[in-house]
Amino acid sequence: MSIALWANWAGVVIAECRSVETSSPFLTYTLTIFASAMFLITLSCPVLLGFGAYRAGEVPPEITRLINDAFWFAAEYPYSPFAAFMVVLAIVVFSDKRDTPVFPRWVGYFCLWCALLMFPGGMLAFFKTGPFAYDGLLAFYVLAGAYTTFTIALSVVMHKQMNRDAARERGSRPEVAAAEEPVVAR
């Protein structure tokens, strides 16, 4: 369920980015490709957990452990589409030269910072213990914290932007604005 909601969230972000590009929507298409990869990666995680739990106790513990390891690799190791989505989004933010940009400039810097914090996830294959292990400070907690704060911050910014868009649309259509005025009893 949450994966479907995430796909809608990414779609809204991409649609807002499309309004920034006036000519060829290259960055919008790039964001769409990375979002699709992120969707497939995110979709694989619960599938692997369900697959591991389906025959737990009936198969040797080594197989269950292998499936558990595959889950952690699927959850943390493919950080690159997530980080690339953030970098491309930062490029979109910095390329918006309008008087009222879709995203504030701090969002671009924030995206770059979060993308940088995602990179320790790539060290997962080389460490079984320590800060770069699947349960380590850098490979799990920093990566998860960066992704979570990115998602929350961008959700708040997008909510404000959508409210501004709705207010602008209501203001540009007088018949809608007049119909929405409160009725005052005299």
Side-chain angles (χ1 to χ4, degrees):
M1 176 68 177
S2 64
I3 296 169
L5 296 175
W6 181 89
N8 289 328
W9 176 88
V12 171
V13 172
I14 292 167
E16 288 294 333
C17 289
R18 177 62 182 109
S19 69
V20 173
E21 293 184 282
T22 55
S23 59
S24 176
F26 174 75
L27 295 174
T28 302
Y29 293 154
T30 305
L31 282 172
T32 304
I33 291 167
F34 288 133
S36 300
M38 293 161 57
F39 179 77
L40 291 174
I41 291 166
T42 307
L43 185 63
S44 71
C45 292
V47 169
L48 285 169
L49 281 180
F51 186 62
Y54 185 68
R55 299 253 186 234
E58 296 178 23
V59 296
E62 294 81 20
I63 293 175
T64 304
R65 182 177 176 185
L66 179 66
I67 295 170
N68 182 57
D69 290 345
F71 160 75
W72 285 107
F73 268 76
E76 296 178 35
Y77 192 63
Y79 68 91
S80 56
F82 294 91
F85 184 90
M86 294 172 189
V87 170
V88 173
L89 184 58
I91 294 169
V92 170
V93 170
F94 295 141
S95 67
D96 192 356
K97 304 295 184 200
R98 295 179 291 183
D99 293 335
T100 315
V102 172
F103 303 100
R105 284 190 65 80
W106 68 263
V107 171
Y109 294 109
F110 184 72
C111 287
L112 292 175
W113 183 245
C114 287
L116 182 67
L117 292 175
M118 299 285 284
F119 282 104
M123 305 302 276
L124 176 70
F126 307 108
F127 297 90
K128 291 184 182 176
T129 60
F132 293 108
Y134 78 95
D135 60 349
L137 175 67
L138 296 174
F140 179 73
Y141 292 101
V142 170
L143 185 140
Y147 178 74
T148 302
T149 55
F150 167 78
T151 304
I152 291 171
L154 203 58
S155 295
V156 170
V157 169
M158 291 301 300
H159 181 69
K160 289 180 181 179
Q161 176 61 29
M162 291 173 71
N163 284 341
R164 279 194 299 268
D165 288 347
R168 190 177 315 121
E169 188 175 310
R170 279 193 304 270
S172 67
R173 296 187 337 214
E175 70 279 358
V176 174
E180 292 179 354
E181 290 180 12
V183 177
V184 179
R186 295 181 195 241

